[in-house]
């Protein structure tokens, strides 16, 4: 998959010797348990999958009929359907009121809780978007967990004590230390047609007041046509025209109509449009954390930013960064969250997981295991 660059080394060992040891020591359960990632996130996701499989075993959840927006004061059978739906997933605790077909404040709070868990603007009103998410089959939610757990099995191994995660589908980032989340923020990622890639790498430095040179494809297809239509587009978006050597050029001296045949300049901007980049809500908070052991504090960061000069600071302790993608998540408090599969990446994984199990043995081991 070109969207992934993760890899890990597998320690090869004699499969017969491995299984004989497991059988001799009677530690089959322990062996299976330790094959998965030893990570609190993985265990929480497993618990979420177990919770939703229990919902299936109990009969699933009812469908809420479509219709006008339901809010405080609404009455009727659709309100009762809504109430029963939210009770199944624990969004609405407690017994039914005397009139279960009436939309009261308790039901409003339950709708808000559901909306927060599903990435919907929480207004406590059950409109089309909220009803659509409520009517997603529980089997689909289980598959979201299966896909997320599978991705974890690929990458949540051999991790350092400290690493930074960007949850692309959840539009969030958080810093992990010794298995605990110590910082988090919201992020903006690429639009569906400029999908943010998924990868693992190391952050080695921080740039303050960085510039961004618009890539040729974006320049040709998007930026130049906008400049031709609107001469003020560059100044309004904090863009400047520079030569290949970095010298600033006055835009008024350029014949923009002639640039359809070629553009001998570059355009830089202080704003990074989301063509796949990650923009954090609180970047200076993260910088302060990462540079704390190098004598930096917020005052020093603010001073560098105020200078408006591009300044690079190398990290004495580079940090592992993982851009991940999961559409089901379990929070620190055990609350289950679901997100839209904005890049349509779950389906191929689910398809692969649904393929009947196959045994792939090293050369020379097939006969030892009785395979022909």
């Amino acid at each position: 998959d070109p969207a992934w660059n993760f890899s890990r080394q597998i320690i090869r060992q004699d499969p017969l010797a491995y299984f004989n040891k497991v059988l001799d020591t009677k530690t089959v359960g322990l062996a299976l348990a330790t094959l998965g990632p030893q990570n609190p996130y993985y265990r929480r996701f497993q618990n979420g999958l177990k919770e939703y499989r229990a919902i299936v075993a109990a009969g699933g959840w009812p469908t809420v009929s479509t219709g006008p927006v339901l809010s405080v004061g609404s009455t009727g059978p659709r309100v009762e359907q809504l109430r029963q739906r939210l009770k199944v997933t624990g969004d609405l605790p407690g017994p039914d009121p005397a009139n279960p077909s009436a939309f009261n404040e308790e039901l409003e709070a339950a709708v808000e809780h559901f909306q927060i868990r599903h990435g919907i603007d929480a207004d406590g009103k059950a409109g089309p978007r909220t009803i659509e998410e409520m009517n997603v089959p529980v089997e689909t939610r289980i598959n979201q967990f299966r896909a997320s757990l599978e991705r974890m099995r690929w990458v949540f191994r051999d991790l350092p004590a400290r690493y930074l995660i960007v949850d692309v589908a959840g539009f969030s980032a958080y810093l992990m230390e010794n298995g605990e989340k110590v910082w988090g923020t919201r992020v903006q990622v690429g639009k569906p047609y400029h999908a943010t890639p998924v990868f693992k790498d190391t952050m080695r430095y921080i740039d303050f007041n960085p510039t961004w040179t618009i890539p040729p494809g974006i320049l040709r297809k998007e930026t130049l046509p906008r400049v031709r239509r609107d001469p003020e587009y560059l100044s309004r978006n904090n863009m400047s025209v520079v030569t290949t050597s970095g010298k600033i050029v006055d835009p008024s001296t350029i014949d923009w109509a002639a640039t359809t045949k070629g553009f001998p300049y570059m355009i830089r901007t202080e704003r990074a449009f989301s063509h796949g980049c990650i923009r954090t809500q609180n970047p200076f908070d993260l910088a302060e954390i990462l540079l704390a052991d190098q004598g930096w504090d917020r005052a020093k960061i603010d001073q560098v930013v105020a200078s408006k000069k591009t300044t690079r600071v190398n990290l004495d302790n580079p940090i592992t960064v993982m851009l991940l993608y999961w559409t089901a998540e379990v929070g620190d408090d055990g609350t289950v969250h679901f997100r839209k599969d904005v890049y349509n990446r779950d389906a191929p994984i689910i398809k692969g997981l649904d393929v009947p199990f196959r045994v792939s043995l090293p050369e020379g081991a097939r006969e030892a295991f009785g395979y022909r």
Side-chain angles (χ1 to χ4, degrees), residues 35-255:
L35 286 177
Q38 303 304 299
N39 184 282
Y41 271 90
Y42 188 75
R43 290 190 288 272
R44 289 208 298 263
F45 279 42
Q46 285 181 310
N47 291 334
L49 175 61
K50 181 179 179 180
E51 176 183 336
Y52 275 72
R53 281 180 167 163
I55 291 175
V56 170
W61 51 58
T63 298
V64 181
S65 302
T66 58
V69 175
L70 298 174
S71 59
V72 173
S74 298
T75 59
R78 291 181 61 234
V79 174
E80 194 162 0
Q81 291 173 356
L82 178 67
R83 185 179 298 279
Q84 297 307 314
R85 167 64 183 85
L86 292 172
K87 288 181 67 175
V88 171
T89 45
D91 296 286
L92 181 61
D96 287 342
N99 183 7
S101 63
F103 198 119
N104 58 15
E105 292 182 354
E106 287 75 20
L107 186 55
E108 180 183 47
V111 172
E112 286 185 4
H113 188 262
F114 177 91
Q115 290 169 329
I116 292 171
R117 292 197 306 111
H118 292 77
I120 304 170
D121 291 337
D123 59 4
K125 299 177 181 179
R129 174 80 173 84
T130 300
I131 298 299
E132 177 188 4
E133 290 296 323
M134 288 185 179
N135 289 339
V136 171
V138 64
E139 292 80 7
T140 299
R141 298 307 188 193
I142 286 174
N143 279 337
Q144 288 181 255
F145 267 118
R146 293 174 66 206
S148 297
L149 282 163
E150 177 66 8
R151 292 186 179 99
M152 283 188 168
R153 286 189 284 272
W154 298 348
V155 302
F156 268 49
R157 302 174 188 271
D158 307 320
L159 291 175
R162 192 186 202 198
Y163 53 92
L164 182 67
I165 290 178
V166 176
D167 176 8
V168 176
F171 307 105
S172 61
Y174 31 93
L175 183 64
M176 302 292 295
E177 288 188 2
N178 299 314
E180 299 294 329
K181 183 192 298 184
V182 297
W183 175 87
T185 188
R186 293 186 297 172
V187 300
Q188 185 179 53
V189 300
K191 299 174 183 178
Y193 49 88
H194 292 300
T196 297
V198 178
F199 68 90
K200 179 180 181 180
D201 209 332
T202 303
M203 182 192 299
R204 296 177 174 83
Y205 60 85
I206 297 175
D207 276 346
F208 292 100
N209 302 318
T211 60
W212 183 63
T213 301
I214 299 178
I218 299 174
L219 180 67
R220 183 179 65 258
K221 297 177 182 179
E222 300 181 24
T223 308
L224 291 180
R226 290 171 179 168
V227 175
R228 295 185 195 108
R229 292 192 302 265
D230 179 7
E232 302 299 321
Y233 179 81
L234 293 176
S235 60
R236 190 170 60 251
N237 290 280
N238 298 318
M239 295 181 176
S240 49
V241 182
V242 297
T243 65
T244 54
S245 62
K247 182 180 179 181
I248 296 179
V249 178
D250 184 351
S252 65
T253 64
I254 299 174
D255 182 0

